[in-house]
């Protein structure tokens, strides 16, 4: 009657079906529900310097959370108030115009916080990701320090494998969020691959760019571009999730093409946003970077071949 068996392969799917009706509860309000497994978020938009809209949104959010609590109680579930957090996202100017101390959730007052952790990524209020980048760099430098102490006992190939698994994996994790991030925040991230290249090559008196080039490593910005462009490729070929596909507006040719490969040479509408923060979104940077690719690269239909050609293209672009 209630609950989902744990430890089975079908457990995640059954749990998703079990809580699917939660979407109908949230749809009654001007809100969006985003979920992954048992972690769900409710998002609403607030107009800055509009007291009536601010009051209305708070009332709707409180009522929505009350309905969610009632629905969960009916199906033997419970909101974990200790893990429930509320955060306001926006530019620094917008956040200064809004004053929301918190919201009542299940009879408990939950205060607004300046950062939250979501699926392994630390989001701050203005989406600068400073806290997340500092944390990842600390972990990466700690791992590099340990590897450097035993480097003399390792071969170059073994060291490179360990660096990819223990260091670069942290730098590349969700790096698509860092598109066009301010230089001051991105500088610390750029230094980590430089140090990693020195440890792998066991050379500390040469320019790091030459070492990264010899290892065929892409710079941080190129790795971000690689991730975002690959997502755009999957959007075009229909292998990306639906919620990502809806973010892009394709401009296809008005005449039919003979080959299916040429039909994938899609151009996108690059929509400019009102703020620099919004211009960093994947719906803006993805089309911008994709449209700048050579035609022969955009017409590749195989993802494996596309990944290889894309890396070679970015490598040539950044290293000349």
């Amino acid at each position: 009657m209630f609950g989902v068996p744990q430890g089975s392969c079908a457990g995640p799917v059954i749990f998703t079906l079990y809580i699917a009706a939660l979407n109908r509860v949230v749809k009654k309000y001007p809100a969006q529900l985003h979920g992954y497994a048992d972690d769900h978020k409710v998002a609403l938009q607030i107009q800055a310097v509009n007291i009536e809209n601010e009051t209305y949104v708070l009332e709707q959010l409180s009522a929505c959370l009350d309905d969610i609590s009632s629905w969960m109680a009916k199906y033997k579930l419970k909101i974990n108030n200790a893990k429930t957090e509320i955060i306001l996202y926006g530019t620094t100017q917008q956040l200064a115009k809004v004053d929301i101390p918190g919201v009542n959730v299940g009879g408990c007052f939950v205060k607004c916080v300046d950062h939250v952790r979501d699926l392994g990524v630390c989001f701050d209020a203005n989406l600068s990701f400073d806290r997340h980048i500092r944390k990842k760099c600390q972990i990466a430098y700690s791992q590099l320090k340990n590897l450097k102490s035993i480097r003399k006992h390792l071969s170059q190939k073994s060291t490179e494998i360990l660096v990819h698994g223990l260091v670069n994996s942290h730098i590349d994790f969700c790096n698509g969020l860092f598109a066009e991030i301010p230089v001051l925040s991105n500088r610390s991230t750029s230094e980590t691959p430089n140090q990693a290249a020195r440890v792998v090559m066991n050379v500390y008196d040469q320019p790091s760019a030459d070492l990264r080039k010899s290892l065929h490593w892409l710079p941080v910005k190129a790795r971000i571009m690689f991730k975002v462009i690959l997502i755009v490729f999957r959007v075009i070929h229909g292998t990306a999730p639906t919620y990502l596909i809806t973010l892009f507006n394709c401009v296809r040719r008005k005449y039919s093409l003979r080959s299916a490969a040429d039909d994938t040479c899609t151009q996108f509408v690059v929509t400019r946003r009102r703020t620099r923060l919004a211009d960093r979104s994947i719906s803006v940077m993805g089309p911008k970077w994709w449209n700048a690719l050579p035609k022969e690269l955009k017409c590749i239909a195989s993802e494996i071949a596309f990944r290889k050609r894309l890396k070679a293209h970015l490598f040539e672009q950044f290293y000349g």
Side-chain angles (χ1 to χ4, degrees):
M1 292 295 293
F2 301 101
V4 175
Q6 296 184 5
S8 63
C9 296
V13 177
I14 297 175
F15 182 79
T16 302
L17 296 173
Y18 188 72
I19 62 173
L22 186 60
N23 290 276
R24 294 198 296 267
V25 177
V26 179
K27 281 184 178 179
K28 296 186 296 183
Y29 300 91
Q32 293 180 337
L33 181 68
H34 305 277
Y36 182 83
D38 62 342
D39 189 0
H40 284 70
K41 280 78 64 177
V42 177
L44 295 91
Q45 291 184 352
I46 297 179
Q47 296 179 4
V49 199
N50 190 330
I51 305 300
E52 295 181 357
N53 177 261
E54 182 177 322
T55 304
Y56 171 76
V57 169
L58 287 177
E59 292 175 350
Q60 292 295 305
L61 178 59
S62 181
C64 179
L65 294 174
D66 288 340
D67 282 357
I68 291 176
S69 299
S70 301
W71 181 89
M72 295 181 72
K74 179 181 179 181
Y75 290 95
K76 309 301 180 183
L77 298 171
K78 182 181 179 181
I79 292 181
N80 191 335
N81 294 329
K83 293 184 178 180
T84 301
E85 296 175 312
I86 296 176
I87 186 171
L88 291 172
Y89 293 115
T91 62
T92 304
Q93 295 78 8
Q94 291 172 334
L95 293 175
K97 300 174 184 178
V98 181
D99 182 20
I100 298 180
V103 178
N104 287 316
V105 180
C108 299
F109 184 77
V110 180
K111 295 182 179 180
C112 286
V113 296
D114 58 355
H115 69 277
V116 295
R117 185 176 177 83
D118 188 6
L119 301 179
V121 180
C122 185
F123 290 82
D124 47 20
N126 55 8
L127 297 178
S128 65
F129 297 103
D130 287 340
R131 188 185 298 267
H132 176 80
I133 291 175
R134 288 198 303 267
K135 181 64 176 178
K136 289 298 180 181
C137 287
Q138 289 175 0
I139 297 174
Y141 276 118
S142 176
Q143 298 289 359
L144 281 175
K145 183 178 179 181
N146 295 333
L147 288 175
K148 187 177 179 180
S149 64
I150 62 172
R151 176 62 181 87
K152 59 183 179 181
H153 303 292
L154 301 172
S155 65
Q156 179 175 323
K157 183 177 181 180
S158 299
T159 306
E160 186 173 2
I161 294 174
L162 290 172
V163 166
H164 282 312
L166 300 175
V167 179
N168 292 341
S169 59
H170 290 284
I171 303 303
D172 293 337
F173 179 70
C174 291
N175 61 351
L177 296 170
F178 310 145
E180 296 298 322
I181 203 168
V183 177
L184 292 178
S185 298
N186 203 13
R187 186 174 300 164
S188 58
T189 313
S190 302
E191 286 299 322
T192 305
N194 295 340
Q195 296 296 331
R198 294 189 179 100
V199 172
V200 171
M201 300 296 292
N202 203 20
V203 176
Y204 303 93
D205 56 352
Q206 292 185 11
S208 57
D210 295 340
L211 298 177
R212 285 189 283 105
K213 185 176 181 180
S214 64
L215 290 169
H216 214 264
W217 288 3
L218 294 174
V220 172
K221 183 177 180 180
R223 291 152 86 127
I224 295 173
M225 293 178 64
F226 181 89
K227 179 72 70 65
V228 173
I229 293 173
L230 186 59
I231 292 176
V232 177
F233 177 86
R234 292 170 178 168
V235 166
I236 293 174
H237 291 268
T239 58
T242 305
Y243 71 90
L244 284 178
I245 296 177
T246 57
L247 296 177
F248 297 87
N249 185 13
C250 301
V251 180
R252 295 188 178 274
R253 299 178 184 272
K254 296 182 180 179
Y255 51 88
S256 60
L257 299 174
R258 293 183 179 180
S259 64
D262 287 339
D263 191 48
T264 62
C265 299
T266 305
Q267 291 291 108
F268 289 93
V269 176
V270 181
T271 306
R272 295 288 299 178
R273 306 297 182 182
R274 297 176 60 182
T275 62
R276 292 183 179 180
L277 178 61
D279 278 340
R280 287 167 40 200
S281 65
I282 190 173
S283 60
V284 176
M285 298 310 303
K288 179 180 177 181
W289 286 339
W290 174 268
N291 292 345
L293 293 177
K295 179 182 177 181
E296 60 273 11
L297 182 58
K298 291 187 289 186
C299 291
I300 298 176
S302 171
E303 181 173 335
I304 297 177
F306 179 79
R307 291 171 67 100
K308 293 180 180 179
R309 292 285 299 277
L310 177 60
K311 182 178 179 180
H313 170 74
L314 293 175
F315 188 86
E316 182 179 357
Q317 177 180 340
F318 279 85
Y319 289 112

